[in-house]
Amino acid sequence: MTHDTPSTTGMERSLRQCLSTMAALLFRQGHALETVTVPHRGLDHSELKALEAAESDWKRCQQILETSQAATWNDYQHFVLTDLGRELLFDMFGEGAADCA
């Protein structure tokens, strides 16, 4: 039996908050969730800069997502969610919100 420690609970809360921020930003910038949930797609550097320009908190969220291993860079050097990030996102919004396979 595992117990959540305050640090893991806080990290999951931060991750969920960042995923929520990311989802809202993506929609406002004309993207769908599939942009970051499909491993071969993702956001390129110019798209990330646009998110940062639109939301001052984005850079912090991006760092949290990467540090927690909920997001990474794919072979095309595009920012995508990992299995962990996709699992949390689907838990929050439902798989139907971002069907990817």
Side-chain angles (χ1 to χ4, degrees), residues 18-78:
C18 288
L19 287 167
S20 180
T21 297
M22 180 189 67
L25 278 170
L26 287 173
F27 287 123
R28 284 197 303 258
Q29 295 291 319
H31 294 282
L33 291 177
E34 289 88 350
T35 303
V36 292
T37 59
V38 177
H40 66 272
R41 290 188 64 188
L43 297 166
D44 66 26
H45 291 282
S46 66
E47 292 166 324
L48 288 172
K49 286 185 187 294
L51 293 181
E52 188 176 351
E55 174 64 52
S56 60
D57 245 7
W58 169 248
K59 194 66 172 170
R60 182 186 64 79
C61 282
Q62 181 183 342
Q63 290 170 340
I64 289 171
L65 292 168
E66 287 183 68
T67 301
S68 66
Q69 298 180 347
T72 190
W73 298 91
N74 67 16
D75 292 340
Y76 307 102
Q77 293 304 301
H78 290 183

